[in-house]
């Protein structure tokens, strides 16, 4: 998940590139591949139509290409769908962004200095709550053997929150920004407390059906990806093996992580499966004003600064389940990346919703340097694709209130 895994893969695993691609999108997809990922797919939707590019392989053992129109895990991109439902409920007058978490989930956020009476729904959606992230508690062994051992373990939302409550707050609510998946576990629970239905049922009814996103869904505890899909691969820093079988990995090699890691791939913070086409359609509808009223969309885009890190473009900002990234040509784009063991999804949409891009990569490495290089290749691709499009740059993140 974003903010959790800064993981990437060795560049020597990339297939050789036979000559420079003339198409800029294909050239940039090849550059992402050459940064060390096994496979990558890109889709751009704009008033000019749809464009796609694929590079690398979709399966290492057969060297089969990345399939077209593939299913992908979108990880923390799920958070934008959840935030959209919360804001729809706010627009309907059923809750307020200033409601405390305790109003809807009384007594749940307690312990070690955590207090749901002091945390608001807005702070959950914007990652300014200070609540600790539960993720480390469900990663007892960051190795291939650990992935294989724990990938089928399931936890309820309450159990995930309980893990987080064993740690003190990271900061006082509203004083800083720091990414915490616990925030969106709670946001999903707030949706259920308000509506009487689970967050994924509300996402389906309010977003997926109206937009006809027939290839987007929450899989629950089913760890499989539907076909067609590329295989996902994770490089673990110090994996233990039982003799180097295909199901394990020696240090520095790749583990097939196409099956979900259910301890953190199964809830409102990052469980959705989708396609690039569906993801683009969702963000285009959201930024184009088809899912939220102007007032609620404005709330979603009221952003705070994100601390500069190797994995972020300097000057990035975060709204309510929606991130803003600056462009070299001026202005910026909105989206929300999502990652997990062996995958990364990077959606990007212009402020008016007219141009949408989704990049999906199918491997992640163990070292931060490689991971940063790969993210730079992805952001360069998005920057090039957006900056060549004729568009209005309005309502961008740097104009939002801090």
């Amino acid at each position: 998940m974003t903010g959790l895994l800064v993981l990437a893969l060795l560049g020597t695993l990339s297939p050789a590139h036979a000559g420079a691609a003339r198409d800029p999108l294909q050239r940039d997809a090849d550059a992402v591949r050459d940064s060390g990922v096994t496979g990558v797919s890109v889709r751009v939707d704009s008033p000019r139509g749809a464009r796609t590019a694929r590079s690398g392989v979709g399966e290492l053992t057969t060297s089969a290409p990345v399939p077209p129109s593939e299913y992908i895990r979108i990880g923390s991109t799920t958070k934008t769908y959840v935030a959209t439902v919360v804001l729809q409920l706010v627009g309907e007058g059923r809750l307020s962004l200033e409601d405390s978490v305790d109003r809807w989930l009384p007594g749940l956020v307690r312990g070690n200095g955590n207090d749901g009476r002091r945390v608001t729904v807005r702070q959950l959606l914007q990652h300014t709550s200070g609540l600790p992230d539960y993720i480390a508690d469900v990663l007892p062994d960051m190795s291939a053997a650990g992935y294989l051992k724990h990938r089928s373990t399931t936890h309820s939302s309450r159990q995930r929150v309980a893990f987080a409550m064993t740690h003190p707050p990271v900061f006082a609510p509203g004083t800083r920004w720091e990414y915490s998946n616990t925030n969106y576990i709670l946001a999903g629970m707030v949706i259920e407390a308000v509506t009487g239905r689970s967050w994924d049922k509300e996402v389906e009814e309010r977003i997926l059906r109206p937009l006809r996103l027939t290839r987007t869904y929450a899989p629950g505890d089913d760890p499989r990806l539907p076909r067609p899909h590329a295989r996902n691969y994770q490089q673990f820093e110090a994996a233990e093996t039982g003799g180097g079988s295909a199901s394990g990995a020696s240090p520095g090699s790749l583990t097939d992580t196409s099956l979900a890691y259910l301890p953190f791939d199964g809830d409102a913070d990052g469980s959705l499966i989708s396609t690039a086409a569906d993801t683009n359609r969702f963000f285009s509808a959201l930024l184009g004003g088809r899912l939220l009223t102007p007032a609620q969309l404005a709330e979603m885009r009221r952003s705070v600064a994100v601390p500069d890190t190797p994995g972020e473009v300097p000057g990035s900002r975060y709204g309510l389940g929606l991130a803003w990234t600056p462009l070299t040509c001026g202005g910026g784009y909105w989206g929300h990346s999502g990652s997990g063991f062996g995958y990364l999804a990077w959606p990007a949409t212009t402020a008016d919703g007219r141009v949408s891009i989704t990049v999906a990569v199918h491997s992640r490495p163990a070292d931060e340097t490689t991971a940063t290089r790969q993210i730079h290749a992805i952001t360069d691709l998005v920057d090039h694709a957006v900056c060549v499009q004729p568009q209005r740059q309005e309502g961008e993140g740097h104009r939002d209130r801090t």
Side-chain angles (χ1 to χ4, degrees):
M1 297 181 178
T2 301
L4 155 70
L5 301 171
V6 190
L7 307 163
L9 148 80
L10 296 175
T12 55
L13 293 167
S14 301
H17 177 33
R22 294 179 197 162
D23 173 45
L25 187 65
Q26 184 64 53
R27 176 202 66 205
D28 287 341
D30 291 341
V32 174
R33 178 206 64 198
D34 292 341
S35 72
V37 303
T38 55
V40 56
S41 63
V42 187
R43 180 181 173 107
V44 181
D45 287 288
S46 74
R48 299 177 178 182
R51 293 185 294 141
T52 61
R54 293 172 289 146
S55 193
V57 298
E59 185 172 358
L60 290 176
T61 55
T62 64
S63 298
V66 176
S69 304
E70 60 170 338
Y71 281 94
I72 57 174
R73 299 194 190 283
I74 61 172
S76 283
T77 306
T78 302
K79 291 179 172 69
T80 310
Y81 294 74
V82 171
T84 300
V85 170
V86 172
L87 284 162
Q88 287 179 343
L89 293 171
V90 170
E92 293 164 10
R94 300 175 71 178
L95 78 158
S96 167
L97 289 172
E98 312 315 322
D99 284 348
S100 70
V101 173
D102 211 63
R103 174 176 177 181
W104 296 104
L105 306 170
L108 183 65
V109 178
R110 290 285 198 284
N112 291 299
N114 298 290
D115 189 346
R117 294 168 295 188
R118 301 178 57 212
V119 176
T120 67
V121 173
R122 181 190 298 276
Q123 290 164 350
L124 294 181
L125 299 185
Q126 197 155 53
H127 295 299
T128 54
S129 71
L131 295 176
D133 201 332
Y134 79 94
I135 290 291
D137 295 285
V138 298
L139 286 172
D141 184 359
M142 278 288 290
S143 68
Y147 161 77
L148 294 167
K149 179 179 179 180
H150 299 291
R151 68 185 178 190
S152 298
T153 302
T154 59
H155 301 292
S156 69
S157 299
R158 286 186 173 271
Q159 287 173 322
R160 290 181 168 97
V161 174
F163 285 137
M165 294 302 100
T166 64
H167 307 282
V170 182
F171 51 82
T175 61
R176 282 171 46 195
W177 184 94
E178 186 167 317
Y179 197 92
S180 174
N181 290 284
T182 307
N183 290 323
Y184 275 79
I185 300 294
L186 289 164
M189 296 177 76
V190 168
I191 289 172
E192 184 164 4
V194 173
T195 66
R197 301 203 307 172
S198 64
W199 69 270
D200 54 308
K201 293 300 183 185
E202 289 295 322
V203 165
E204 180 181 0
E205 192 68 29
R206 292 168 171 272
I207 299 173
L208 305 185
R209 286 184 182 174
L211 295 181
R212 298 181 181 176
L213 304 183
T214 59
R215 300 181 71 199
T216 302
Y217 69 100
D221 293 336
D222 185 345
R224 299 166 297 178
L225 275 166
R227 296 184 183 277
H229 68 85
R231 304 203 73 82
N232 297 325
Y233 298 96
Q234 179 66 51
Q235 181 192 47
F236 292 97
E237 222 167 77
E240 297 291 336
T241 72
S245 68
S247 62
S250 58
S253 67
L254 293 172
T255 300
D256 188 328
T257 54
S258 301
L259 290 176
Y261 186 77
L262 294 179
F264 61 59
D265 277 338
D267 214 325
D269 56 334
S271 66
L272 287 182
I273 289 171
S274 189
T275 65
D278 268 17
T279 303
N280 282 354
R281 197 178 312 155
F282 165 67
F283 278 99
S284 178
L286 176 63
L287 274 301
R290 293 172 56 194
L291 292 173
L292 296 174
T293 66
Q296 302 314 320
L297 183 57
E299 287 284 4
M300 188 177 231
R301 294 178 5 162
R302 287 175 60 188
S303 59
V304 297
V306 173
D308 289 344
T309 66
E312 299 286 347
V313 176
S316 297
R317 301 179 67 85
Y318 198 92
L320 303 184
L322 195 63
W324 182 83
T325 304
L327 290 162
T328 58
C329 56
Y333 60 85
W334 295 96
H336 199 302
S337 61
S339 64
F341 285 139
Y343 70 89
L344 174 84
W346 196 284
T349 298
T350 54
D352 56 10
R354 289 167 58 83
V355 179
S356 292
I357 303 165
T358 294
V359 183
V361 302
H362 296 292
S363 62
R364 303 291 287 149
D367 66 289
E368 184 175 344
T369 300
T370 307
T372 299
R373 182 173 71 245
Q374 292 176 357
I375 290 174
H376 286 169
I378 293 168
T379 55
D380 284 349
L381 181 156
V382 173
D383 193 277
H384 298 160
V386 174
C387 284
V388 299
Q389 300 285 343
Q391 60 179 287
R392 296 174 299 163
Q393 294 293 339
E394 60 182 351
E396 302 293 0
H398 64 280
R399 298 181 183 176
D400 294 341
R401 187 167 72 88
T402 300

Coordinates of all heavy atoms in Angstrom, one line a residue, residues 32 40 42 50 94 123 128 135 144 165-166 182 184 192 202 218 224-225 237 245 257 269 310 325 331 349 371 394 396:
V32 N 9.9 2.8 -18.1 CA 9.4 2.2 -16.8 C 9.9 0.8 -16.7 O 10.5 0.4 -15.7 CB 7.9 2.3 -16.7 CG1 7.5 1.6 -15.4 CG2 7.4 3.8 -16.6
V40 N 4.7 -3.7 -17.4 CA 4.0 -2.5 -17.2 C 2.9 -2.3 -18.2 O 3.1 -2.7 -19.4 CB 4.9 -1.2 -17.2 CG1 5.7 -1.2 -18.5 CG2 4.2 0.1 -16.9
V42 N -0.1 0.7 -19.6 CA -0.5 2.1 -19.5 C -1.8 2.3 -20.3 O -1.8 1.8 -21.5 CB 0.6 3.1 -20.0 CG1 0.2 4.6 -19.7 CG2 1.9 2.8 -19.4
A50 N -8.7 6.7 -26.7 CA -7.9 5.9 -25.8 C -6.6 5.5 -26.5 O -6.5 5.2 -27.7 CB -8.7 4.7 -25.4
R94 N -26.2 13.3 6.1 CA -26.3 12.2 7.0 C -25.1 12.1 8.0 O -25.2 11.4 9.0 CB -26.4 10.9 6.2 CG -27.6 10.9 5.3 CD -27.7 9.7 4.4 NE -28.0 8.4 5.1 CZ -28.1 7.3 4.5 NH1 -28.0 7.2 3.2 NH2 -28.3 6.2 5.2
Q123 N -10.3 14.4 9.4 CA -8.9 14.0 9.7 C -8.6 12.6 9.3 O -7.5 12.3 8.9 CB -8.6 14.2 11.2 CG -8.6 15.7 11.6 CD -8.6 16.0 13.1 OE1 -8.9 15.0 13.8 NE2 -8.4 17.2 13.5
T128 N -4.7 13.3 8.7 CA -4.2 14.3 9.7 C -4.7 13.9 11.1 O -4.7 14.7 12.0 CB -4.6 15.7 9.4 OG1 -6.1 15.7 9.2 CG2 -4.0 16.2 8.1
I135 N -0.5 -1.5 9.8 CA 0.2 -2.3 8.8 C 1.3 -3.1 9.4 O 1.5 -4.3 9.1 CB 0.6 -1.5 7.6 CG1 -0.6 -1.0 6.8 CG2 1.5 -2.3 6.7 CD1 -1.4 -2.1 6.1
A144 N 10.0 -13.8 1.8 CA 9.1 -14.7 1.0 C 8.4 -15.7 1.8 O 7.2 -16.0 1.6 CB 10.0 -15.3 -0.1
M165 N -4.4 0.4 18.0 CA -4.6 1.0 19.3 C -3.5 0.5 20.4 O -3.5 1.0 21.5 CB -6.0 0.7 19.9 CG -7.1 1.3 19.1 SD -7.0 3.1 19.0 CE -6.3 3.3 17.3
T166 N -2.7 -0.5 20.0 CA -1.6 -0.9 20.9 C -0.5 0.0 20.8 O 0.5 -0.1 21.5 CB -1.2 -2.3 20.6 OG1 -0.6 -2.4 19.2 CG2 -2.3 -3.3 20.6
T182 N -5.0 2.9 8.9 CA -6.0 2.8 9.9 C -7.1 3.8 9.7 O -8.3 3.5 10.0 CB -5.4 3.0 11.3 OG1 -4.3 2.1 11.5 CG2 -6.4 2.8 12.4
Y184 N -8.5 4.7 7.0 CA -9.6 4.3 6.1 C -10.3 3.0 6.5 O -11.4 2.7 6.1 CB -9.0 4.2 4.7 CG -9.0 5.6 4.0 CD1 -8.1 6.6 4.4 CD2 -10.1 5.9 3.2 CE1 -8.2 7.8 3.8 CE2 -10.1 7.2 2.6 CZ -9.2 8.1 3.0 OH -9.3 9.4 2.4
E192 N -20.5 2.2 7.3 CA -21.5 1.1 7.7 C -22.3 1.6 8.9 O -23.5 1.3 8.9 CB -20.7 -0.1 8.1 CG -21.7 -1.3 8.4 CD -21.0 -2.6 8.4 OE1 -19.8 -2.7 8.2 OE2 -21.7 -3.6 8.6
E202 N -21.8 0.0 -0.5 CA -22.1 1.4 -0.8 C -21.3 1.9 -2.0 O -21.8 2.6 -2.8 CB -21.8 2.3 0.4 CG -22.8 2.1 1.6 CD -24.2 2.6 1.2 OE1 -24.4 3.6 0.5 OE2 -25.2 1.9 1.7
A218 N -14.8 -5.4 -5.0 CA -14.1 -5.8 -3.8 C -14.1 -7.3 -3.7 O -15.2 -7.9 -3.6 CB -14.7 -5.1 -2.6
R224 N -7.5 -14.3 -5.3 CA -7.2 -14.5 -6.7 C -7.5 -13.3 -7.6 O -8.5 -12.5 -7.3 CB -7.9 -15.7 -7.3 CG -7.5 -17.0 -6.7 CD -8.5 -18.1 -7.1 NE -9.9 -17.8 -6.6 CZ -10.9 -18.6 -6.9 NH1 -10.8 -19.7 -7.6 NH2 -12.1 -18.2 -6.4
L225 N -6.7 -13.0 -8.6 CA -7.1 -12.1 -9.6 C -7.8 -12.8 -10.8 O -7.3 -13.9 -11.2 CB -5.8 -11.4 -10.2 CG -5.2 -10.2 -9.5 CD1 -3.8 -9.9 -10.0 CD2 -6.1 -9.0 -9.6
E237 N 14.1 -8.6 0.8 CA 15.4 -8.3 1.1 C 16.2 -9.5 1.5 O 17.4 -9.7 1.1 CB 15.5 -7.2 2.2 CG 16.5 -6.1 1.9 CD 16.3 -4.9 2.8 OE1 16.7 -5.0 4.0 OE2 15.8 -3.9 2.3
S245 N 12.7 -23.2 -4.5 CA 11.6 -23.6 -5.4 C 10.9 -22.4 -5.9 O 11.1 -21.3 -5.4 CB 10.6 -24.4 -4.5 OG 10.0 -23.6 -3.6
T257 N 3.8 -13.0 -6.1 CA 2.8 -12.5 -5.1 C 1.5 -12.2 -5.8 O 0.8 -11.3 -5.3 CB 3.4 -11.3 -4.4 OG1 3.8 -10.3 -5.3 CG2 4.6 -11.7 -3.5
D269 N -9.2 0.1 3.2 CA -7.9 0.9 2.9 C -7.2 0.4 1.6 O -6.3 1.1 1.2 CB -7.0 0.8 4.1 CG -6.6 -0.7 4.5 OD1 -7.5 -1.6 4.2 OD2 -5.6 -0.9 5.0
P310 N 11.6 10.6 -0.9 CA 12.1 10.1 -2.2 C 11.0 9.6 -3.1 O 11.2 9.6 -4.3 CB 13.1 9.0 -1.8 CG 13.5 9.4 -0.4 CD 12.3 10.1 0.2
T325 N -0.5 16.2 -7.6 CA 1.0 16.1 -8.0 C 1.2 17.2 -9.0 O 0.5 17.3 -10.0 CB 1.3 14.7 -8.6 OG1 0.9 13.7 -7.7 CG2 2.8 14.6 -8.9
G331 N 0.6 23.7 -13.2 CA -0.6 23.1 -12.7 C -0.2 21.7 -12.1 O 0.9 21.4 -11.7
T349 N -5.4 12.2 -13.2 CA -6.4 12.8 -13.9 C -6.3 14.3 -13.8 O -6.0 14.9 -12.7 CB -7.8 12.4 -13.4 OG1 -7.9 11.0 -13.6 CG2 -9.0 13.0 -14.2
A371 N 13.3 1.6 -6.0 CA 11.8 2.0 -5.9 C 11.7 3.4 -6.3 O 10.8 3.7 -7.1 CB 11.3 1.7 -4.5
E394 N -7.0 24.4 -14.1 CA -7.8 25.2 -13.1 C -8.1 24.4 -11.9 O -8.1 23.2 -11.9 CB -9.1 25.7 -13.7 CG -10.0 24.6 -14.2 CD -11.3 25.1 -14.8 OE1 -11.5 26.3 -14.8 OE2 -12.0 24.3 -15.4
E396 N -6.3 23.8 -9.3 CA -5.2 22.9 -8.9 C -4.9 23.0 -7.4 O -5.3 23.9 -6.7 CB -4.0 23.2 -9.7 CG -4.2 23.2 -11.2 CD -4.5 21.7 -11.7 OE1 -4.5 20.8 -10.9 OE2 -4.7 21.6 -12.9

